[in-house]
Amino acid sequence: MMEKNWRNINMKSNSKNELVKLISICGQVAEHKSEKFLESGKDEAMILSALSENEQEQLKALLEKLQKIWLSEHAEHHRHKKETELV
C-alpha cells in the first residue's frame, strides 16, 4: 500500500499500479486543498497553478475520458447485476 503523509493528512492507495496510485493520491490532495481554499476564501484554481493552461486542458480531457468509461462500466455492471437478480 502506498502512503503519503502531507501535512498531517494520511493519504493511502492500495493499488499496485503506480499511475492509479498517483490518480488516487492526487484526488485526495485536491479534495483536501479545495476544502481549505474554500474555507479561507481562496480561488480553487490555484490548486492547479503548477500546470500551464494547456497542461490543465490535457489533464481535464484525460480525466473526462476515464470518467466516461468508468461511468459506462459502472452502469453496465448494475444492469448485469439487476438482470441476474431477476433470473
Coordinates of all heavy atoms in Angstrom, one line a residue:
M1 N 0.8 -1.2 0.0 CA 0.0 0.0 0.0 C 0.9 1.2 0.0 O 1.8 1.3 0.8 CB -0.9 0.0 1.2 CG -1.7 1.2 1.4 SD -2.9 1.3 2.8 CE -2.5 0.1 3.9
M2 N 0.6 2.2 -0.9 CA 1.3 3.4 -0.9 C 0.7 4.4 0.0 O -0.5 4.6 0.0 CB 1.3 4.0 -2.4 CG 2.1 5.2 -2.5 SD 1.9 5.8 -4.2 CE 3.3 6.9 -4.3
E3 N 1.5 5.0 0.9 CA 1.0 6.0 1.8 C 1.9 7.2 1.7 O 3.1 7.2 1.6 CB 1.0 5.5 3.3 CG 0.0 4.4 3.5 CD 0.0 4.1 5.0 OE1 0.2 5.0 5.8 OE2 -0.3 2.9 5.3
K4 N 1.3 8.4 1.7 CA 2.0 9.6 1.7 C 1.4 10.4 2.9 O 0.2 10.4 3.1 CB 1.8 10.4 0.4 CG 2.3 9.8 -0.8 CD 3.8 10.0 -0.9 CE 4.2 9.3 -2.2 NZ 5.6 9.4 -2.4
N5 N 2.3 11.1 3.6 CA 1.8 12.0 4.7 C 2.0 13.4 4.2 O 3.1 13.8 4.0 CB 2.6 11.7 6.0 CG 1.7 11.6 7.1 OD1 0.6 12.1 7.1 ND2 2.1 11.0 8.2
W6 N 1.0 14.1 4.1 CA 1.1 15.5 3.6 C 0.4 16.4 4.6 O -0.8 16.5 4.7 CB 0.3 15.6 2.3 CG 0.5 16.9 1.6 CD1 1.6 17.4 0.9 CD2 -0.5 18.0 1.5 NE1 1.3 18.6 0.4 CE2 0.1 19.0 0.8 CE3 -1.8 18.1 2.0 CZ2 -0.6 20.2 0.5 CZ3 -2.4 19.3 1.7 CH2 -1.9 20.3 1.0
R7 N 1.3 17.0 5.4 CA 0.8 17.9 6.5 C -0.3 17.3 7.3 O -1.4 17.8 7.3 CB 0.4 19.2 5.9 CG 1.5 20.0 5.3 CD 0.9 21.4 4.9 NE 1.9 22.1 4.2 CZ 2.0 23.4 4.2 NH1 1.2 24.1 5.0 NH2 2.9 24.0 3.5
N8 N 0.0 16.3 8.0 CA -0.9 15.6 8.9 C -2.1 15.0 8.3 O -3.1 14.7 8.9 CB -1.4 16.6 10.0 CG -0.2 17.2 10.8 OD1 0.7 16.5 11.0 ND2 -0.4 18.5 11.1
I9 N -2.1 14.8 7.0 CA -3.1 14.1 6.2 C -2.6 12.8 5.8 O -1.6 12.7 5.1 CB -3.6 14.9 5.0 CG1 -4.1 16.3 5.5 CG2 -4.7 14.2 4.3 CD1 -4.2 17.2 4.3
N10 N -3.2 11.7 6.1 CA -2.7 10.4 5.7 C -3.5 10.0 4.5 O -4.7 9.7 4.5 CB -3.0 9.4 6.9 CG -2.2 8.1 6.7 OD1 -1.2 8.1 6.0 ND2 -2.7 7.0 7.2
M11 N -2.7 9.9 3.4 CA -3.3 9.5 2.1 C -2.9 8.1 1.7 O -1.7 7.8 1.9 CB -2.9 10.5 1.0 CG -3.5 11.9 1.3 SD -2.8 13.1 0.2 CE -1.2 13.3 0.9
K12 N -3.8 7.3 1.3 CA -3.5 5.9 1.0 C -4.0 5.5 -0.4 O -5.0 6.0 -0.9 CB -4.1 5.0 2.0 CG -3.7 5.2 3.4 CD -4.4 4.3 4.4 CE -4.0 4.6 5.8 NZ -4.8 3.8 6.8
S13 N -3.3 4.6 -0.9 CA -3.7 3.9 -2.1 C -3.3 2.4 -2.1 O -2.1 2.2 -1.8 CB -3.2 4.5 -3.4 OG -3.6 3.8 -4.5
N14 N -4.2 1.5 -2.2 CA -3.9 0.1 -2.2 C -3.5 -0.4 -3.5 O -3.2 -1.6 -3.6 CB -5.1 -0.7 -1.6 CG -5.4 -0.3 -0.2 OD1 -4.5 -0.2 0.6 ND2 -6.6 -0.2 0.1
S15 N -3.5 0.4 -4.5 CA -3.2 -0.1 -5.9 C -1.8 -0.5 -6.0 O -0.9 0.1 -5.5 CB -3.6 1.0 -6.9 OG -3.3 0.5 -8.2
K16 N -1.6 -1.5 -6.9 CA -0.2 -1.8 -7.2 C 0.3 -1.1 -8.5 O 1.5 -1.1 -8.8 CB -0.1 -3.4 -7.4 CG -0.4 -4.1 -6.2 CD -0.2 -5.6 -6.4 CE -0.5 -6.5 -5.2 NZ -0.6 -5.9 -3.9
N17 N -0.6 -0.4 -9.2 CA -0.3 0.3 -10.4 C 0.1 1.7 -10.0 O -0.7 2.5 -9.4 CB -1.5 0.3 -11.3 CG -1.3 1.0 -12.6 OD1 -1.1 2.3 -12.6 ND2 -1.2 0.3 -13.7
E18 N 1.3 2.1 -10.4 CA 1.8 3.5 -10.0 C 0.9 4.6 -10.5 O 0.7 5.6 -9.7 CB 3.2 3.6 -10.5 CG 3.9 4.9 -10.0 CD 4.2 4.9 -8.5 OE1 4.3 3.8 -7.9 OE2 4.3 6.0 -7.9
L19 N 0.4 4.5 -11.7 CA -0.5 5.6 -12.2 C -1.8 5.7 -11.4 O -2.3 6.8 -11.1 CB -0.7 5.4 -13.7 CG -1.5 6.5 -14.4 CD1 -0.8 7.9 -14.2 CD2 -1.5 6.3 -15.9
V20 N -2.4 4.5 -11.1 CA -3.6 4.5 -10.3 C -3.3 5.1 -8.9 O -4.2 5.9 -8.4 CB -4.2 3.1 -10.2 CG1 -5.4 3.0 -9.3 CG2 -4.6 2.6 -11.6
K21 N -2.2 4.8 -8.3 CA -1.8 5.4 -7.0 C -1.8 6.9 -7.1 O -2.3 7.6 -6.3 CB -0.5 4.8 -6.6 CG -0.4 3.4 -6.1 CD 1.0 3.1 -5.7 CE 1.2 1.6 -5.6 NZ 2.6 1.2 -5.4
L22 N -1.1 7.4 -8.2 CA -1.0 8.8 -8.3 C -2.3 9.5 -8.5 O -2.6 10.6 -7.9 CB -0.1 9.2 -9.5 CG 1.4 8.9 -9.3 CD1 2.2 9.0 -10.6 CD2 2.0 9.8 -8.3
I23 N -3.2 8.9 -9.3 CA -4.5 9.5 -9.5 C -5.3 9.5 -8.2 O -5.9 10.5 -7.8 CB -5.3 8.7 -10.6 CG1 -4.7 8.9 -11.9 CG2 -6.8 9.1 -10.5 CD1 -5.3 7.9 -13.0
S24 N -5.2 8.4 -7.4 CA -5.9 8.4 -6.1 C -5.4 9.4 -5.2 O -6.1 10.1 -4.6 CB -5.7 7.0 -5.6 OG -6.3 6.9 -4.3
I25 N -4.1 9.5 -5.0 CA -3.5 10.4 -4.0 C -3.7 11.8 -4.5 O -4.0 12.7 -3.6 CB -2.0 10.0 -3.7 CG1 -2.0 8.7 -3.0 CG2 -1.3 11.1 -3.0 CD1 -0.6 8.1 -2.7
C26 N -3.5 12.1 -5.7 CA -3.8 13.5 -6.2 C -5.2 13.9 -6.0 O -5.5 15.1 -5.7 CB -3.4 13.6 -7.7 SG -1.6 13.7 -8.0
G27 N -6.1 13.0 -6.2 CA -7.5 13.3 -5.9 C -7.8 13.6 -4.4 O -8.5 14.6 -4.1
Q28 N -7.1 12.9 -3.6 CA -7.3 13.1 -2.1 C -6.7 14.5 -1.8 O -7.2 15.3 -1.0 CB -6.6 12.0 -1.3 CG -7.3 10.7 -1.5 CD -6.4 9.6 -0.8 OE1 -6.1 9.6 0.3 NE2 -6.1 8.5 -1.6
V29 N -5.5 14.8 -2.3 CA -4.9 16.1 -2.1 C -5.7 17.2 -2.6 O -6.0 18.2 -1.9 CB -3.5 16.2 -2.7 CG1 -2.9 17.6 -2.7 CG2 -2.5 15.2 -2.0
A30 N -6.2 17.1 -3.8 CA -7.1 18.1 -4.5 C -8.3 18.4 -3.6 O -8.7 19.5 -3.4 CB -7.5 17.7 -5.9
E31 N -8.9 17.3 -3.1 CA -10.1 17.5 -2.3 C -9.8 18.2 -1.0 O -10.5 19.1 -0.6 CB -10.8 16.1 -2.0 CG -12.1 16.2 -1.3 CD -13.2 16.8 -2.1 OE1 -13.2 16.7 -3.3 OE2 -14.1 17.4 -1.4
H32 N -8.7 17.8 -0.4 CA -8.3 18.5 0.9 C -8.0 20.0 0.6 O -8.5 20.9 1.3 CB -7.1 17.8 1.5 CG -6.6 18.5 2.7 ND1 -7.3 18.4 3.9 CD2 -5.6 19.3 2.9 CE1 -6.6 19.2 4.8 NE2 -5.6 19.7 4.2
K33 N -7.2 20.2 -0.4 CA -6.8 21.6 -0.7 C -8.1 22.4 -1.1 O -8.2 23.6 -0.7 CB -5.8 21.6 -1.9 CG -4.5 21.2 -1.5 CD -3.5 21.3 -2.6 CE -2.5 22.2 -2.3 NZ -1.6 23.1 -2.6
S34 N -9.0 21.8 -1.8 CA -10.2 22.5 -2.2 C -11.0 23.0 -0.9 O -11.4 24.1 -0.9 CB -11.1 21.6 -3.0 OG -12.3 22.2 -3.3
E35 N -11.1 22.1 0.0 CA -11.8 22.4 1.3 C -11.1 23.6 2.0 O -11.8 24.5 2.4 CB -11.9 21.2 2.2 CG -12.8 20.1 1.7 CD -12.7 18.8 2.6 OE1 -12.1 18.9 3.7 OE2 -13.2 17.8 2.1
K36 N -9.8 23.5 2.1 CA -9.1 24.5 2.8 C -9.1 25.9 2.0 O -9.2 26.9 2.7 CB -7.6 24.1 3.0 CG -7.4 22.9 3.9 CD -8.0 23.2 5.2 CE -7.9 22.0 6.1 NZ -8.7 22.1 7.4
F37 N -9.0 25.8 0.7 CA -9.1 27.1 -0.1 C -10.5 27.7 0.1 O -10.6 28.9 0.3 CB -8.8 26.8 -1.5 CG -7.4 26.7 -1.9 CD1 -6.4 26.1 -1.1 CD2 -6.9 27.3 -3.0 CE1 -5.1 26.0 -1.4 CE2 -5.5 27.2 -3.4 CZ -4.6 26.6 -2.5
L38 N -11.5 26.9 0.0 CA -12.9 27.5 0.2 C -13.1 28.0 1.6 O -13.7 29.1 1.7 CB -13.9 26.4 -0.1 CG -14.0 26.0 -1.6 CD1 -15.0 24.8 -1.7 CD2 -14.5 27.1 -2.5
E39 N -12.6 27.4 2.6 CA -12.7 27.9 4.0 C -12.0 29.2 4.1 O -12.5 30.1 4.9 CB -12.0 26.9 5.0 CG -12.9 25.6 5.2 CD -12.1 24.6 6.0 OE1 -11.0 24.9 6.5 OE2 -12.6 23.5 6.2
S40 N -10.9 29.4 3.4 CA -10.1 30.7 3.6 C -10.4 31.7 2.5 O -9.8 32.7 2.4 CB -8.6 30.4 3.6 OG -8.2 29.8 2.4
G41 N -11.4 31.4 1.6 CA -11.8 32.3 0.6 C -10.8 32.4 -0.6 O -10.9 33.4 -1.3
K42 N -10.0 31.5 -0.7 CA -9.0 31.5 -1.8 C -9.6 30.8 -3.1 O -10.5 30.1 -3.0 CB -7.7 30.7 -1.5 CG -6.9 31.4 -0.4 CD -5.7 30.6 -0.1 CE -4.9 31.2 1.1 NZ -3.7 30.3 1.4
D43 N -9.1 31.2 -4.2 CA -9.5 30.7 -5.5 C -9.0 29.2 -5.7 O -7.8 29.0 -5.7 CB -9.0 31.5 -6.6 CG -9.5 31.1 -8.0 OD1 -10.3 30.1 -8.1 OD2 -9.1 31.7 -9.0
E44 N -9.9 28.3 -5.9 CA -9.5 26.9 -6.1 C -8.6 26.7 -7.3 O -7.9 25.7 -7.4 CB -10.8 26.0 -6.3 CG -11.5 25.7 -5.0 CD -12.7 24.8 -5.3 OE1 -13.7 25.3 -5.9 OE2 -12.6 23.6 -5.0
A45 N -8.7 27.6 -8.3 CA -7.9 27.4 -9.5 C -6.4 27.4 -9.1 O -5.6 26.9 -9.8 CB -8.2 28.6 -10.4
M46 N -6.0 28.0 -8.0 CA -4.6 28.0 -7.5 C -4.1 26.5 -7.3 O -2.9 26.3 -7.3 CB -4.5 28.8 -6.2 CG -4.7 30.3 -6.5 SD -4.7 31.3 -5.0 CE -3.2 30.7 -4.2
I47 N -5.0 25.6 -7.0 CA -4.6 24.2 -6.8 C -3.8 23.7 -8.0 O -2.8 22.9 -7.8 CB -5.8 23.3 -6.5 CG1 -6.5 23.7 -5.2 CG2 -5.4 21.8 -6.5 CD1 -7.8 23.1 -4.9
L48 N -4.2 24.1 -9.2 CA -3.5 23.6 -10.4 C -2.6 24.6 -11.0 O -2.1 24.4 -12.1 CB -4.6 23.2 -11.4 CG -5.5 22.1 -11.0 CD1 -6.7 21.9 -12.0 CD2 -4.7 20.8 -10.8
S49 N -2.2 25.6 -10.2 CA -1.3 26.6 -10.8 C 0.0 26.2 -11.2 O 0.7 26.9 -12.0 CB -1.2 27.8 -9.8 OG -0.6 27.3 -8.6
A50 N 0.5 25.0 -10.8 CA 1.8 24.5 -11.2 C 1.7 24.0 -12.7 O 2.8 23.8 -13.3 CB 2.2 23.3 -10.3
L51 N 0.5 23.8 -13.2 CA 0.3 23.3 -14.6 C 0.0 24.5 -15.5 O -0.7 25.4 -15.1 CB -0.8 22.3 -14.7 CG -0.6 21.0 -13.9 CD1 -1.9 20.2 -14.0 CD2 0.6 20.3 -14.3
S52 N 0.5 24.5 -16.7 CA 0.1 25.5 -17.7 C -1.3 25.3 -18.0 O -1.9 24.3 -17.8 CB 1.0 25.4 -18.9 OG 0.7 24.2 -19.6
E53 N -1.9 26.3 -18.7 CA -3.3 26.2 -19.1 C -3.5 25.0 -20.1 O -4.4 24.3 -20.0 CB -3.7 27.5 -19.8 CG -5.2 27.6 -20.1 CD -5.6 28.9 -20.7 OE1 -5.0 30.0 -20.2 OE2 -6.5 29.0 -21.5
N54 N -2.5 24.8 -21.0 CA -2.5 23.7 -21.9 C -2.5 22.4 -21.1 O -3.2 21.4 -21.5 CB -1.4 23.8 -22.9 CG -1.5 22.7 -24.0 OD1 -2.5 22.5 -24.6 ND2 -0.4 22.0 -24.2
E55 N -1.6 22.3 -20.2 CA -1.5 21.0 -19.4 C -2.8 20.8 -18.6 O -3.2 19.6 -18.5 CB -0.3 21.1 -18.4 CG 1.0 21.0 -19.1 CD 2.2 21.4 -18.2 OE1 2.0 22.2 -17.2 OE2 3.3 20.8 -18.4
Q56 N -3.4 21.8 -18.1 CA -4.7 21.7 -17.4 C -5.7 21.2 -18.3 O -6.5 20.3 -17.9 CB -5.1 23.0 -16.7 CG -4.2 23.4 -15.6 CD -4.7 24.7 -14.9 OE1 -5.9 25.0 -14.8 NE2 -3.7 25.5 -14.5
E57 N -5.8 21.7 -19.5 CA -6.8 21.2 -20.5 C -6.5 19.8 -20.9 O -7.5 19.0 -21.0 CB -6.8 22.1 -21.7 CG -7.4 23.5 -21.5 CD -8.9 23.4 -21.0 OE1 -9.6 22.6 -21.6 OE2 -9.2 24.1 -20.1
Q58 N -5.3 19.4 -21.0 CA -4.9 18.0 -21.4 C -5.4 17.1 -20.2 O -5.9 16.0 -20.4 CB -3.4 17.8 -21.6 CG -3.0 18.5 -22.9 CD -1.4 18.4 -23.1 OE1 -0.7 18.1 -22.1 NE2 -1.0 18.7 -24.2
L59 N -5.0 17.5 -19.0 CA -5.4 16.7 -17.8 C -6.9 16.5 -17.7 O -7.4 15.4 -17.5 CB -4.9 17.3 -16.6 CG -5.2 16.6 -15.2 CD1 -4.7 15.2 -15.2 CD2 -4.6 17.4 -14.1
K60 N -7.6 17.6 -18.0 CA -9.1 17.6 -17.9 C -9.6 16.6 -18.9 O -10.5 15.8 -18.6 CB -9.6 19.0 -18.2 CG -11.2 19.1 -18.1 CD -11.6 20.5 -18.4 CE -13.2 20.5 -18.5 NZ -13.7 21.8 -18.9
A61 N -9.1 16.7 -20.2 CA -9.6 15.8 -21.2 C -9.4 14.3 -20.9 O -10.2 13.5 -21.1 CB -8.9 16.2 -22.5
L62 N -8.2 14.0 -20.4 CA -7.9 12.6 -20.0 C -8.8 12.1 -18.9 O -9.3 11.0 -18.9 CB -6.4 12.5 -19.6 CG -5.4 12.7 -20.7 CD1 -4.0 12.8 -20.2 CD2 -5.5 11.6 -21.7
L63 N -8.9 13.0 -17.8 CA -9.8 12.6 -16.7 C -11.2 12.4 -17.1 O -11.9 11.5 -16.7 CB -9.6 13.6 -15.6 CG -8.2 13.5 -14.9 CD1 -8.1 14.7 -13.9 CD2 -7.9 12.2 -14.3
E64 N -11.7 13.3 -18.0 CA -13.1 13.2 -18.5 C -13.3 11.9 -19.3 O -14.3 11.2 -19.2 CB -13.5 14.4 -19.4 CG -13.7 15.6 -18.6 CD -14.0 16.9 -19.4 OE1 -13.6 16.9 -20.6 OE2 -14.5 17.9 -18.9
K65 N -12.2 11.5 -20.1 CA -12.3 10.3 -20.9 C -12.4 9.1 -19.9 O -13.2 8.2 -20.1 CB -11.0 10.2 -21.7 CG -11.0 8.9 -22.6 CD -9.8 8.9 -23.5 CE -9.7 7.7 -24.3 NZ -8.5 7.7 -25.2
L66 N -11.5 9.1 -18.9 CA -11.6 8.0 -17.9 C -12.9 7.9 -17.2 O -13.5 6.9 -17.0 CB -10.5 8.1 -16.9 CG -9.1 7.8 -17.3 CD1 -8.1 8.1 -16.2 CD2 -9.0 6.3 -17.7
Q67 N -13.4 9.1 -16.8 CA -14.7 9.2 -16.1 C -15.8 8.6 -16.9 O -16.7 7.8 -16.5 CB -15.0 10.6 -15.7 CG -16.3 10.7 -14.9 CD -16.6 12.2 -14.6 OE1 -16.5 13.0 -15.4 NE2 -17.1 12.4 -13.4
K68 N -15.9 9.0 -18.2 CA -16.9 8.5 -19.1 C -16.9 7.0 -19.2 O -17.9 6.3 -19.1 CB -16.7 9.1 -20.5 CG -17.8 8.8 -21.5 CD -17.6 9.5 -22.8 CE -18.6 9.0 -23.8 NZ -18.4 9.7 -25.1
I69 N -15.7 6.4 -19.4 CA -15.5 5.0 -19.5 C -16.0 4.3 -18.2 O -16.7 3.3 -18.2 CB -14.1 4.6 -19.8 CG1 -13.8 5.1 -21.3 CG2 -13.8 3.1 -19.7 CD1 -12.3 5.0 -21.6
W70 N -15.5 4.8 -17.1 CA -15.8 4.2 -15.8 C -17.3 4.3 -15.5 O -17.9 3.3 -14.9 CB -15.0 4.9 -14.7 CG -13.5 4.6 -14.8 CD1 -12.9 3.6 -15.5 CD2 -12.5 5.3 -14.2 NE1 -11.5 3.7 -15.3 CE2 -11.2 4.7 -14.5 CE3 -12.4 6.5 -13.3 CZ2 -10.0 5.2 -14.1 CZ3 -11.2 7.0 -12.9 CH2 -10.0 6.3 -13.3
L71 N -17.9 5.4 -15.8 CA -19.4 5.5 -15.5 C -20.1 4.5 -16.4 O -21.1 3.9 -15.9 CB -19.8 6.9 -15.8 CG -19.4 8.0 -14.7 CD1 -19.8 9.4 -15.2 CD2 -20.0 7.6 -13.4
S72 N -19.7 4.4 -17.6 CA -20.3 3.4 -18.5 C -20.2 2.0 -18.0 O -21.1 1.2 -18.0 CB -19.7 3.5 -19.9 OG -20.3 2.5 -20.8
E73 N -19.0 1.6 -17.6 CA -18.7 0.3 -17.0 C -19.5 0.1 -15.7 O -20.1 -1.0 -15.5 CB -17.2 0.1 -16.7 CG -16.4 0.0 -17.9 CD -14.9 0.1 -17.6 OE1 -14.5 0.3 -16.4 OE2 -14.1 -0.2 -18.5
H74 N -19.7 1.1 -14.9 CA -20.4 1.0 -13.7 C -21.9 0.8 -14.0 O -22.5 -0.1 -13.4 CB -20.2 2.3 -12.8 CG -20.9 2.2 -11.5 ND1 -20.4 1.5 -10.5 CD2 -22.0 2.9 -11.1 CE1 -21.2 1.6 -9.4 NE2 -22.2 2.5 -9.8
A75 N -22.4 1.5 -14.9 CA -23.8 1.3 -15.3 C -24.1 -0.1 -15.9 O -25.1 -0.7 -15.6 CB -24.2 2.4 -16.4
E76 N -23.1 -0.6 -16.7 CA -23.2 -1.9 -17.3 C -23.2 -3.0 -16.2 O -24.0 -3.9 -16.2 CB -22.1 -2.2 -18.3 CG -22.1 -3.5 -18.9 CD -23.4 -3.8 -19.7 OE1 -24.0 -2.8 -20.2 OE2 -23.9 -5.0 -19.7
H77 N -22.4 -2.8 -15.2 CA -22.3 -3.7 -14.0 C -23.6 -3.8 -13.3 O -24.1 -4.8 -13.0 CB -21.2 -3.2 -13.1 CG -21.2 -3.8 -11.7 ND1 -20.8 -5.1 -11.5 CD2 -21.7 -3.4 -10.5 CE1 -21.0 -5.4 -10.2 NE2 -21.5 -4.4 -9.6
H78 N -24.3 -2.6 -13.1 CA -25.6 -2.6 -12.4 C -26.7 -3.2 -13.3 O -27.5 -3.9 -12.7 CB -25.9 -1.2 -11.9 CG -25.2 -0.8 -10.7 ND1 -25.6 -1.3 -9.4 CD2 -24.1 -0.1 -10.5 CE1 -24.7 -0.8 -8.5 NE2 -23.8 -0.1 -9.1
R79 N -26.6 -3.0 -14.6 CA -27.6 -3.6 -15.5 C -27.4 -5.1 -15.4 O -28.4 -5.9 -15.3 CB -27.4 -3.1 -16.9 CG -28.1 -1.9 -17.3 CD -28.1 -1.6 -18.7 NE -26.8 -1.4 -19.3 CZ -26.2 -0.2 -19.3 NH1 -26.7 0.8 -18.8 NH2 -25.0 -0.1 -19.9
H80 N -26.2 -5.6 -15.5 CA -25.9 -7.1 -15.4 C -26.4 -7.6 -14.1 O -27.0 -8.7 -14.0 CB -24.4 -7.3 -15.6 CG -24.1 -8.8 -15.6 ND1 -24.5 -9.7 -16.5 CD2 -23.4 -9.5 -14.7 CE1 -24.1 -10.9 -16.1 NE2 -23.4 -10.8 -15.0
K81 N -26.1 -6.9 -13.0 CA -26.4 -7.4 -11.6 C -27.9 -7.5 -11.5 O -28.5 -8.4 -11.0 CB -25.9 -6.4 -10.6 CG -26.1 -6.8 -9.2 CD -25.5 -5.8 -8.2 CE -25.8 -6.2 -6.8 NZ -25.3 -5.3 -5.8
K82 N -28.7 -6.5 -12.0 CA -30.1 -6.5 -12.0 C -30.7 -7.6 -12.8 O -31.6 -8.3 -12.4 CB -30.7 -5.1 -12.5 CG -32.1 -4.9 -12.3 CD -32.6 -3.6 -12.7 CE -34.0 -3.3 -12.4 NZ -34.5 -2.0 -12.7
E83 N -30.1 -7.9 -14.0 CA -30.6 -9.0 -14.8 C -30.4 -10.3 -14.1 O -31.2 -11.2 -14.2 CB -29.8 -9.0 -16.2 CG -30.2 -7.8 -17.0 CD -29.3 -7.7 -18.3 OE1 -28.4 -8.5 -18.4 OE2 -29.5 -6.7 -19.0
T84 N -29.3 -10.5 -13.5 CA -29.0 -11.8 -12.8 C -29.9 -12.0 -11.6 O -30.2 -13.1 -11.2 CB -27.5 -12.0 -12.4 OG1 -27.1 -10.9 -11.6 CG2 -26.6 -12.0 -13.6
E85 N -30.3 -10.9 -10.9 CA -31.2 -11.0 -9.8 C -32.6 -11.4 -10.2 O -33.3 -12.0 -9.5 CB -31.2 -9.6 -9.0 CG -30.0 -9.4 -8.3 CD -30.0 -8.0 -7.7 OE1 -30.9 -7.2 -7.9 OE2 -29.0 -7.7 -6.9
L86 N -33.0 -11.0 -11.5 CA -34.3 -11.4 -12.0 C -34.4 -12.8 -12.4 O -35.5 -13.3 -12.6 CB -34.6 -10.4 -13.1 CG -34.8 -8.9 -12.8 CD1 -35.0 -8.2 -14.1 CD2 -35.9 -8.7 -11.8
V87 N -33.3 -13.5 -12.6 CA -33.3 -14.8 -13.1 C -33.6 -15.8 -12.0 O -33.5 -15.7 -10.8 CB -31.9 -15.2 -13.7 CG1 -31.9 -16.7 -14.1 CG2 -31.7 -14.4 -14.9

